[in-house]
Amino acid sequence: MYRSVRPGEVLRILHLEDNELDHELVSFHLEGEVPWTVQITRVEDEAGFLKALRDGRPHLILSDFALPTYDGLSAFRAAHATLPDVPFIIVTGAMGEETAVDTLREGVTDYILKQRLERLAPAVKRAIAEVDAQVSRALAEQEVRQLNRDLKTRLDEVERLRNVAERQSQRLEIQARQLEEALNMQKTFLAETSHELRTPLTALHGYLRRAEREVGGSQTLLDAQRVAENMTRLVNDLLQLSRGELVQSIEMHFMNLGHLLRQVGRDFGVRAPEENLEIVGDPGRLTQVFVNLVTNALRVSGSPERVYLEASPRPGEIEVRVVDHGPGVPDHVKPKIFDKFYRGKEAGSAGLGLTIAQQVVTAHGGTIDVVDTPGGGATFRVRLPLPEEDD
C-alpha cells in the first residue's frame, strides 16, 4: 500500500522525459517549492520506466505525453497496473483540450503544460494530499470491516453460549427446587437490569425522534450520544456487579458539577441549581449517579414538579440533594436501600441503580445517604469533596 510522505522527508519522483533541459526545468520548479526534499529519477524510454517502477517505489510519477518510442498514456496504464495508488501527472509541451479530458477520464491525476510550470508545485502538493486522503479512507474502511467481523464473531459466540445455556437449563430442570433461591436471584437481577436500561433507552429513542424532526439539530445529537454512552457504561457496571465486582473506570479531572446537574435537570424536566460548582470528578460517572437518583425520584413521585435538585457548598465539600415529595423511604428500609439487589416496594426500585450510585460516590471520596423530606418524601444527599490547593 502507498505510504504517506511527511513534510521534511524525501519525496521520490519518477520522471519520464527524454529532454534533459525540460527535466532540469521541472526540477527547478519543484526545489524549495514543496515541503519535501525532492529526489527525481529521470528515465527516457519504456524499458527504463518499467524498471524504475519495479525497483524505485516512487511517491509520484511525472511524464511527458509524447516521446519518440513511448507515450504518457501508455506509461500511466503501466504504472496504474503496478502502483495504482501513486499519483500520475502529465507534463507536456502541448495537449489539445479533448486529449487532456481523455487522459483525466482514464484516471491521470493532473496535467501541466511545460509553458506553465509554475502550476507544477501546487499540483504536486494537491496530488500527494489527495492520495493521502484516499489511503486514510481505505485504512478507515478496512478497520471498520475488521470491527464488523470481530463484532459478528462475538455475536456468534454470544448466540452459541445462549444456546448452551438453554440446553443446560433444560438438563437442570430436575434440580429446580434445589436451585430455587439462585433462580430467584437471577430473576431479580434480570428484572433490575431491564428496569435500569429502560430509562436510557427511552431517552435515546426520544432524542432520535427529535433529531428526525429537527433534521440534525446538534444539541439533540449530542444528547443522544451522551445517553448512548451512559447506557453502555451501565451495561458494563451491571455485568461487573453481577460478578460481585466493584464499579471501575473512574477518570478524574476538573469539572463543573453545576453544569452537569443542569444538564440532568433539563433531560428530565426537573429544577436544578444555577450555581457553577467546580470539583474533581468523572463527569460520566457522576451523571450516572444523578440520573439514577432522579429517575428513582420521578418514578415514586409521579411528576417532575414533585422532584428537584439542590446544591450547596459545605466546609471541604459540596452537598447535592435530590429531593422528592413522594411516599418517602421507611426507616427500616433506609439501612438496606443501597444493598445490591435490594428492591423495596415502599421506596420504588432500590437495586443495582443505587448500589452503582453508592460505589461511584465512594470512589470519588464522597458519601451518599437518604433522609426524610420535610412535608413528606425522600431526599438523597450526595457529598463530594472540594479540590484541594494541590489539585
Side-chain angles (χ1 to χ4, degrees), residues 221-250:
L221 294 179
L222 288 174
D223 287 341
Q225 181 181 6
R226 175 165 48 77
V227 171
E229 292 172 353
N230 290 339
M231 182 178 64
T232 301
R233 186 179 295 110
L234 177 59
V235 171
N236 293 334
D237 289 346
L238 292 175
L239 292 175
Q240 288 176 344
L241 288 170
S242 71
R243 296 192 294 264
E245 300 172 359
L246 298 177
V247 171
Q248 301 170 357
S249 303
I250 303 292

Side-chain angles (χ1 to χ4, degrees), residues 36 45 149 180-181 183 203 227 266 269 294 325 343 357:
W36 307 284
D45 53 26
R149 288 193 292 268
E180 183 176 358
E181 183 178 353
L183 290 175
V227 171
R266 176 170 57 83
V294 169
H325 289 285
R343 187 181 178 90

Side-chain angles (χ1 to χ4, degrees), residues 39-310:
Q39 181 187 86
I40 304 180
T41 301
R42 182 171 77 93
V43 295
E44 300 183 359
D45 53 26
E46 180 180 8
F49 181 72
L50 296 179
K51 183 177 185 303
L53 285 180
R54 291 192 302 269
D55 302 339
R57 300 293 301 181
H59 296 108
L60 176 76
I61 298 172
L62 304 176
S63 173
D64 196 356
F65 186 72
L67 297 98
T69 60
Y70 204 33
D71 66 89
L73 204 52
S74 297
F76 166 73
R77 291 167 180 157
H80 187 69
T82 305
L83 303 172
D85 296 326
V86 174
F88 192 102
I89 299 176
I90 290 178
V91 183
T92 184
M95 179 182 287
E97 183 176 343
E98 184 175 345
T99 302
V101 171
D102 289 341
T103 61
L104 296 177
R105 187 176 293 131
E106 283 264 351
V108 170
T109 305
D110 205 347
Y111 72 92
I112 305 294
L113 297 178
K114 293 180 179 179
Q115 304 92 298
R116 299 289 303 279
L117 286 179
E118 67 275 5
R119 291 185 57 242
L120 181 58
V124 167
K125 290 187 283 188
R126 183 170 58 251
I128 295 297
E130 288 176 355
V131 75
D132 283 348
Q134 292 172 359
V135 170
S136 297
R137 284 195 298 271
L139 289 173
E141 291 171 357
Q142 181 179 345
E143 290 179 0
V144 169
R145 288 193 294 271
Q146 183 60 45
L147 287 173
N148 286 336
R149 288 193 292 268
D150 293 343
L151 179 60
K152 184 179 184 304
T153 299
R154 294 182 182 184
L155 290 175
D156 291 343
E157 180 65 12
V158 169
E159 181 64 21
R160 185 188 70 81
L161 292 174
R162 188 183 68 82
N163 292 334
V164 170
E166 287 180 354
R167 292 193 295 270
Q168 290 176 341
S169 176
Q170 293 171 358
R171 290 195 299 268
L172 294 174
E173 285 182 358
I174 59 174
Q175 303 176 10
R177 291 183 180 179
Q178 298 174 4
L179 296 176
E180 183 176 358
E181 183 178 353
L183 290 175
N184 287 337
M185 181 69 75
Q186 181 186 47
K187 290 178 182 178
T188 301
F189 171 70
L190 293 176
E192 189 63 38
T193 301
S194 174
H195 156 65
E196 296 296 343
L197 292 179
R198 188 177 297 115
T199 297
L201 283 173
T202 301
L204 179 58
H205 287 301
Y207 290 134
L208 293 177
R209 286 194 295 270
R210 283 169 52 192
E212 291 178 0
R213 293 195 299 269
E214 297 172 8
V215 193
S218 60
Q219 183 60 53
T220 300
L221 294 179
L222 288 174
D223 287 341
Q225 181 181 6
R226 175 165 48 77
V227 171
E229 292 172 353
N230 290 339
M231 182 178 64
T232 301
R233 186 179 295 110
L234 177 59
V235 171
N236 293 334
D237 289 346
L238 292 175
L239 292 175
Q240 288 176 344
L241 288 170
S242 71
R243 296 192 294 264
E245 300 172 359
L246 298 177
V247 171
Q248 301 170 357
S249 303
I250 303 292
E251 299 180 3
M252 308 283 279
H253 50 80
F254 279 98
M255 57 168 286
N256 187 334
L257 180 61
H259 174 73
L260 184 151
L261 295 175
R262 288 189 290 276
Q263 191 174 59
V264 173
R266 176 170 57 83
D267 287 347
F268 294 96
V270 302
R271 190 170 78 250
E274 295 296 327
E275 302 94 317
N276 288 320
L277 307 167
E278 295 290 333
I279 66 167
V280 175
D282 184 325
R285 288 299 190 183
L286 290 178
T287 297
Q288 188 177 7
V289 168
F290 293 111
V291 165
N292 279 338
L293 296 178
V294 169
T295 53
N296 278 343
L298 289 172
R299 182 171 52 256
V300 299
S301 299
S303 170
E305 288 78 19
R306 296 168 61 83
V307 178
Y308 56 92
L309 293 162
E310 293 180 335

Side-chain angles (χ1 to χ4, degrees), residues 6-21:
R6 297 178 178 84
E9 292 185 345
V10 174
L11 178 67
R12 298 189 302 275
I13 298 177
L14 176 58
H15 190 195
L16 178 58
E17 174 59 71
D18 62 326
N19 187 300
E20 176 66 26
L21 178 59

